[in-house]
Amino acid sequence: MIYARAISLRIYTRELRDTMLPDAERDGSVLVYKYGSASYAVVFRFGVVVFWNVPLVKQGAFLKSIEKYVKSPFDSQITQEARLEMGKEDKIRYDYVSLEEISIGDVVSLSYPFAQSVVLERMEGEVDVQLYDLNRILRPIEKTGKLKMKRKRLMMQLGQVLRDRAHSFYEFGFEETPDDVWENDRIERLYKDLHEDLEVSSRIKLVNSKWDTATEEMQFVLSLITEREGLHIELLLVFFALFIDICLTTWEIFGGSLPH
């Protein structure tokens, strides 16, 4: 079996490598630990470990051993599973992998789409929560034409949206395809088949589109608050100018008529 487990927002792979020497390494961001024949743990720095033929007890022990290198662990892991067969014709499906032979290059290359897929599952959940919260903000505008949210709270929520998006796509190497993928035509073909079967590209576009919607709508609401506050200032200035004008007019009318 293959288990892809999203356990955190990041794993400090350099510190992990210095303490637990891997059997293979890819650019400091992918570490491979070998348990035996066709049995591996592949660690990605964006917070996912993919296990190949590793018993669940040993998986738990491994995850426990790397806890100190994990940043912001999830309350509950996000896991995807696929059945693995070896010594048969190469065949790839989103929940099934059959390989005539297996090497570290195969393991790293095929682990990557699984790792992306579980990260996408987390991201899909996060952006859906943000869109739901945004709907709660917009509903009063639809019903009453008024925006009740304070500017500070809105800025904090907008910051959370942008931070989550940055974490998802940029800081943690989510779209850095390992070089092993391009080593030979066989691995490249298997990688592309799995990448397509897991719908990674289309899901990235969909999540990106949702993040764009969330960001743009939050900015729209922020502009409403800014315009509302600007209008309040303008009204205060108008009222102040009218007050001064009334005072001056009153002084001219009554002050000018006072005896000297």
Side-chain angles (χ1 to χ4, degrees), residues 73-245:
F74 298 143
D75 293 334
S76 58
Q77 294 179 17
I78 300 172
T79 304
Q80 291 185 0
E81 303 175 14
R83 188 161 58 92
L84 173 66
E85 290 188 342
M86 291 168 294
K88 296 186 177 182
E89 180 184 1
D90 289 338
K91 188 175 181 180
I92 292 292
R93 216 171 48 225
Y94 74 94
D95 61 349
Y96 172 74
V97 174
S98 173
L99 298 174
E100 289 184 1
E101 55 183 290
I102 188 169
S103 67
I104 287 181
D106 297 328
V107 169
V108 172
S109 300
L110 298 182
S111 291
Y112 183 59
F114 283 120
Q116 284 185 303
S117 184
V118 291
V119 171
L120 279 166
E121 185 176 339
R122 173 177 61 81
M123 289 161 48
E124 288 160 353
E126 288 179 347
V127 71
D128 285 343
V129 168
Q130 294 288 358
L131 288 172
Y132 176 77
D133 289 343
L134 178 59
N135 184 56
R136 294 173 60 190
I137 296 171
L138 296 175
R139 192 178 298 121
I141 301 177
E142 176 190 6
K143 291 184 177 181
T144 66
K146 296 180 181 179
L147 182 62
K148 298 180 180 180
M149 176 175 275
K150 300 292 185 181
R151 181 187 180 94
K152 181 179 179 181
R153 182 183 166 199
L154 180 65
M155 288 295 292
M156 291 174 64
Q157 191 155 341
L158 177 59
Q160 185 66 46
V161 170
L162 296 176
R163 183 175 180 272
D164 286 348
R165 182 171 188 167
H167 277 174
S168 298
F169 285 100
Y170 306 117
E171 185 177 350
F172 305 125
F174 174 74
E175 294 183 284
E176 296 175 2
T177 307
D179 291 337
D180 297 75
V181 168
W182 321 118
E183 279 191 356
N184 59 62
D185 292 341
R186 172 182 170 270
I187 294 180
E188 183 177 347
R189 174 176 55 81
L190 292 173
Y191 164 80
K192 288 181 177 179
D193 286 346
L194 182 57
H195 191 273
E196 183 178 348
D197 237 35
L198 290 169
E199 300 179 332
V200 172
S201 294
S202 60
R203 289 168 67 192
I204 288 176
K205 290 180 181 178
L206 179 58
V207 170
N208 246 328
S209 177
K210 287 184 176 183
W211 280 121
D212 286 341
T213 299
T215 304
E216 290 167 5
E217 293 301 322
M218 292 291 287
Q219 290 173 336
F220 167 71
V221 176
L222 180 61
S223 71
L224 289 181
I225 289 182
T226 303
E227 289 175 6
R228 182 184 66 186
E229 293 176 350
L231 180 60
H232 287 170
I233 293 173
E234 290 177 7
L235 288 174
L236 286 174
L237 291 174
V238 169
F239 288 141
F240 181 73
L242 285 173
F243 176 74
I244 295 297
D245 186 59

